[in-house]
């Protein structure tokens, strides 16, 4: 196909108007890679086209037009493993609260992606403190809450921000299901809550065993079938020791590898967690001991879990008041102040959750070829006098 000279000139002129993202070089006095290179003193990170091109401890040749940023310390973008940001909003009114469907206590067919609002202000709130990836869950109230999803904290369209859909199914035990559904015919006791979960899983197993051409389409059964087959992970919200025990029991009955959400008293049931191969999505370090379920909360929980060699990740959790989730950076800092090794803490907010959610080829560490999601600080990230200088997502400075 021939293009006229006039047409060609128009195309060239238009191309000149398109923004071109220049390469970026970051000079860090100290770099925590969360990868094989470990901690690097005086590091150089070259970023181009949204990806990390090189990580070095010596000066490198800088391409012409490269933007240069400096920082005292650089971390990989933080990953929040349990938050409602993006589906519960800053105004805290019914119009922007889309995390909890109260019409049905067994909502396996619900998907967080269909509630996610990229324009929600709280996304910017957590991002400015270094959180670049969020694992968004339904509100931890219904016995079966629905399917979770992982998003970057920058973008205009939910599907463009999406890293992984249907990452896990949220099951909830303890006080929340009792309080949410007792008056509407739902479970009013712990045993009834557990029975609802078991009942739906048994139904899904029977549905799976039917001939495919005879199955009736069923969104809930398909979602739970994905859990039973291992395609989707199973998260059990449980604070108390006995509720954690129930979660492990259900997981064992159905051949599931359990993820314990909150696990306020997980440190009291360490041997059982280890035997089950469970991972704990930690309650926020500064969680208030409000209500009987949380009376035994402790600032040393993460350090105790680490000493017991039980894998864990950090999370902002859920709060009923704005800003709905805690700041992951601060919760991690307080865990360090209460006995957790700093390197272990950084990994629990970066590479460990990336591996847990199966997104470690893209994010979680500062390594060649990965997405350029980084946080730049003007001092020790975990000192209260330190500031976040910049947040980069896919190589773009967004804060």
């Amino acid at each position: 196909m021939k293009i006229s000279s006039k047409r060609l000139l128009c195309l060239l002129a238009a191309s000149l108007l398109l923004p071109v993202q220049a390469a970026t070089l970051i000079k860090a006095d100290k770099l925590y890679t969360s990868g094989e290179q470990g901690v690097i003193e005086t590091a150089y990170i070259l970023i181009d086209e949204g990806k990390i091109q090189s990580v070095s401890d010596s000066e490198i040749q800088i391409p012409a037009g490269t933007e240069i940023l400096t920082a005292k310390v650089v971390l990989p973008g933080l990953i929040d493993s349990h938050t409602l940001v993006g589906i519960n909003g800053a105004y805290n009114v019914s119009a922007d609260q889309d995390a909890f469907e109260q019409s049905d206590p067994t909502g396996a067919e619900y998907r967080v992606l269909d509630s996610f609002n990229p324009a929600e202000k709280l996304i910017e709130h957590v991002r400015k403190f270094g959180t670049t990836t969020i694992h968004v869950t339904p509100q931890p109230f219904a016995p079966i809450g629905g399917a979770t999803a992982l998003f970057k904290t920058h973008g205009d369209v939910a599907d463009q921000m999406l890293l992984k859909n249907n990452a896990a199914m949220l099951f909830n035990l303890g006080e929340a299901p009792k309080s949410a559904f007792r008056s509407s015919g739902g479970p009013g006791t712990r045993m009834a809550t557990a029975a609802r979960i078991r009942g739906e899983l048994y139904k899904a197993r029977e549905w799976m065993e039917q001939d495919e051409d005879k199955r009736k389409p069923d969104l809930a059964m398909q979602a739970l079938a994905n859990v039973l087959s291992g395609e989707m992970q199973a998260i059990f919200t449980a604070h108390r020791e006995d509720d954690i025990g129930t979660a492990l029991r259900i997981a064992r009955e159905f051949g599931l590898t359990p993820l314990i959400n909150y696990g306020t008293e997980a440190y009291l049931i360490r041997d059982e967690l280890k035997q089950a191969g469970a991972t704990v999505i930690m309650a926020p370090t500064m969680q208030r001991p409000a209500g009987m379920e949380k009376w035994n909360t402790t600032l040393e929980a993460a350090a105790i879990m680490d000493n017991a060699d039980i894998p864990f990740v950090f999370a902002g959790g859920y709060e009923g008041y704005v800003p709905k989730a805690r700041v992951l950076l601060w919760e991690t800092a307080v865990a360090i102040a209460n006995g957790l090794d700093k390197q272990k803490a950084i990994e629990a907010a970066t590479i460990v959750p990336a591996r847990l959610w199966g997104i470690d080829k893209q994010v979680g560490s500062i390594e060649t070829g990965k997405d350029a999601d980084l946080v730049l600080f003007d001092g020790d990230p975990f000192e209260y006098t330190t500031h976040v200088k910049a947040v980069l997502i896919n190589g773009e400075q967004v804060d």
Side-chain angles (χ1 to χ4, degrees):
M1 182 179 68
K2 291 184 178 180
I3 300 177
S4 67
S5 57
K6 184 177 181 181
R7 170 76 170 160
L8 183 60
L9 287 171
C10 289
L11 289 171
L12 289 171
S15 68
L16 293 174
L17 297 175
L18 294 174
V20 178
Q21 186 175 338
T24 303
L25 179 72
I26 299 174
K27 295 181 178 180
D29 291 351
K30 194 167 191 175
L31 171 65
Y32 292 87
T33 68
S34 288
E36 291 184 0
Q37 290 177 277
V39 181
I40 303 175
E41 303 287 346
T42 310
Y44 300 84
I45 311 149
L46 182 63
I47 299 166
D48 197 14
E49 297 183 351
K51 300 289 185 180
I52 297 167
Q53 301 298 323
S54 65
V55 181
S56 175
D57 59 358
S58 57
E59 289 197 52
I60 61 175
Q61 188 173 357
I62 304 173
T66 298
E67 180 183 12
I68 298 175
L69 301 175
T70 61
K72 289 289 185 182
V73 178
V74 174
L75 297 182
L78 305 181
I79 300 173
D80 190 332
S81 285
H82 170 216
T83 183
L84 275 65
V85 167
I87 58 174
N88 266 6
Y91 292 103
N92 209 23
V93 296
S94 60
D96 70 348
Q97 304 299 292
D98 284 298
F100 176 30
E101 176 52 57
Q102 301 181 49
S103 64
D104 184 359
T106 53
E109 68 272 28
Y110 304 141
R111 299 176 181 177
V112 153
L113 176 60
D114 297 324
S115 277
F116 189 77
N117 178 14
E120 172 51 50
K121 294 179 179 180
L122 294 180
I123 297 174
E124 180 184 357
H125 171 72
V126 298
R127 188 182 66 213
K128 69 183 181 181
F129 293 105
T131 297
T132 58
T133 297
I134 48 178
H135 177 234
V136 183
T137 79
Q139 195 163 313
F141 274 24
I144 304 179
T148 70
L150 288 129
F151 301 88
K152 294 284 186 89
T153 55
H154 177 65
D156 300 317
V157 180
D159 291 83
Q160 294 173 353
M161 299 166 71
L162 184 68
L163 273 170
K164 187 174 184 178
N165 194 24
N166 298 328
M169 180 63 64
L170 184 69
F171 301 96
N172 299 300
L173 300 164
E175 291 298 319
K178 291 167 54 180
S179 63
F181 291 98
R182 179 185 283 123
S183 61
S184 59
T189 62
R190 281 174 161 80
M191 59 184 174
T193 300
R196 286 290 183 97
I197 294 171
R198 280 193 181 93
E200 293 300 304
L201 288 171
Y202 274 117
K203 287 180 187 177
R205 180 181 284 173
E206 292 175 358
W207 184 85
M208 292 172 69
E209 292 172 351
Q210 296 174 13
D211 293 335
E212 288 190 29
D213 57 348
K214 294 182 180 179
R215 286 181 196 163
K216 292 182 179 180
D218 191 314
L219 291 175
M221 292 299 101
Q222 182 61 69
L224 291 176
N226 291 340
V227 176
L228 292 171
S229 68
E231 185 178 331
M232 193 186 305
Q233 299 196 65
I235 300 175
F236 293 88
T237 297
H239 288 276
R240 271 179 18 187
E241 179 182 4
D242 57 328
D243 290 326
I244 297 171
T246 299
L248 297 181
R249 197 176 306 118
I250 294 172
R252 186 168 57 250
E253 289 171 18
F254 291 93
L256 307 176
T257 301
L259 301 178
I260 304 300
N261 186 38
Y262 284 113
T264 298
E265 294 185 356
Y267 65 94
L268 298 176
I269 192 171
R270 299 192 293 279
D271 291 343
E272 291 84 351
L273 286 168
K274 197 165 185 176
Q275 185 176 359
T279 296
V280 178
I281 304 171
M282 298 293 293
T285 311
M286 293 183 281
Q287 173 182 258
R288 293 164 295 125
M292 290 180 65
E293 288 188 311
K294 303 176 185 177
W295 280 356
N296 288 323
T297 190
T298 172
L299 296 171
E300 298 174 351
I304 295 171
M305 300 304 283
D306 182 48
N307 289 335
D309 291 324
I310 296 171
F312 64 91
V313 294
F314 284 118
Y318 160 73
E319 299 290 350
Y321 52 85
V322 174
K324 293 296 186 178
R326 295 168 177 268
V327 175
L328 196 68
L329 180 67
W330 300 347
E331 301 298 324
T332 306
V334 173
I336 294 169
N338 285 274
L340 182 62
D341 174 76
K342 181 185 286 188
Q343 183 63 41
K344 293 283 186 68
I346 292 171
E347 290 174 359
T350 56
I351 190 60
V352 177
R355 289 173 182 153
L356 176 65
W357 305 121
I359 55 174
D360 52 303
K361 291 184 178 179
Q362 296 167 267
V363 298
S365 62
I366 301 174
E367 298 181 274
T368 300
K370 289 195 175 184
D371 295 352
D373 294 0
L374 304 96
V375 193
L376 283 60
F377 299 88
D378 63 6
D380 185 325
F382 307 108
E383 290 290 345
Y384 73 96
T385 54
T386 295
H387 305 90
V388 175
K389 290 188 65 176
V391 178
L392 281 71
I393 297 180
N394 297 326
E396 180 183 352
Q397 187 170 336
V398 294
D399 277 301

